[in-house]
Amino acid sequence: MDIFSSAIKRKLADGGIVIGLSTRMPRVDTALVAKTCGFDWLFIDMEHGTFSVDSATQLSVAAISLGVTPIVRVPGHEHHHSTRVLDNGAQGVIVPHVDTPEAAQRIAQNLRYPPIGHRSIASMQPVASYQSLSMGEFTRQINAETMVVVMLESPEAIGNAEAIARIDGIDVLLIGTNDLCAEMGLHGQFGHARVEEAYRETVAACRKHGKVPGMAGVYDPKLMEKYIGIGARFILGGSDLSFIMAGARERLAFLRGIKR
């Protein structure tokens, strides 16, 4: 059965670290850029980017064909925010601002097919190569391969990390460090002791309940090394726009520094 498997689920199950490229620009060729550069997954940002459902899922289909796992950050908690992209090419979703176990439970129920959850069935999906499969086998495999990621972005969410990690159907607890710092009144202080403690609490909760801890919004090399050392394994490595700007600044500084 030629269902595309989630390469990052295999790598995480083996104890590995997976690194994603965030994209806010709706260009299908970003999937090939991610593949060529060696990224494991794409973070397709519908919360802050300009993606429509159509452009997000076109990029998702391009990514799965290349072995890069497409995961869409959806704009909210409504079930259709997630199920429409999952039905049309995404292999996972990232749901922002999940503060409570009750919210996480609703998300898990909405995004898993029966008997695990209550997701409505749309057959012949891109992730199954548009094959017509028995519904029992189709739903079983899609349930197993779909990655459901919830973002912890507030002190309340961190305080509920263990209760959230306990919920079946949630795969990853991803700390949105930028918003977490803001909610703590620590804008930009990504290395603050309270932030480090948030990582330690979340990693401990994930290890206890067999979930994966993630890191987003941290791009200082020393801090990235610290939080990966603590245990973060689902890593957002940076965004297309930030890489373009970093490369452009470096080249411009070189050119302006040439003596004539």
Side-chain angles (χ1 to χ4, degrees), residues 82-196:
S82 294
T83 56
R84 290 187 70 196
V85 295
L86 289 174
D87 287 347
N88 291 286
Q91 287 185 295
V93 293
I94 297 171
V95 183
H97 307 292
V98 178
D99 292 328
T100 66
E102 291 78 16
Q105 182 69 61
R106 286 192 297 272
I107 290 162
Q109 288 287 298
N110 286 337
L111 304 187
R112 303 293 183 186
Y113 291 124
I116 300 172
H118 305 290
R119 178 180 167 189
S120 181
I121 299 171
S123 60
M124 296 185 69
Q125 294 181 18
V127 293
S129 300
Y130 297 110
Q131 294 180 83
S132 181
L133 306 170
S134 73
M135 283 298 99
E137 184 63 11
F138 174 83
T139 56
R140 184 190 70 79
Q141 291 205 39
I142 298 301
N143 273 343
E145 296 300 330
T146 298
M147 180 162 281
V148 178
V149 182
V150 294
M151 294 195 74
L152 310 188
E153 303 180 83
S154 69
E156 180 184 11
I158 299 300
N160 286 323
E162 184 170 343
I164 292 170
R166 191 181 297 126
I167 293 170
D168 291 336
I170 300 298
D171 296 297
V172 179
L173 277 62
L174 176 62
I175 296 179
T177 319
N178 199 21
D179 281 348
L180 177 61
C181 285
E183 294 283 349
M184 288 178 166
L186 301 170
H187 288 280
Q189 298 181 54
F190 303 123
H192 195 280
R194 289 176 62 196
V195 178
E196 180 177 338

Side-chain angles (χ1 to χ4, degrees), residues 60-75:
S60 294
V61 172
I64 57 176
S65 301
L66 294 166
V68 176
T69 303
I71 302 182
V72 177
R73 176 161 69 176
V74 295

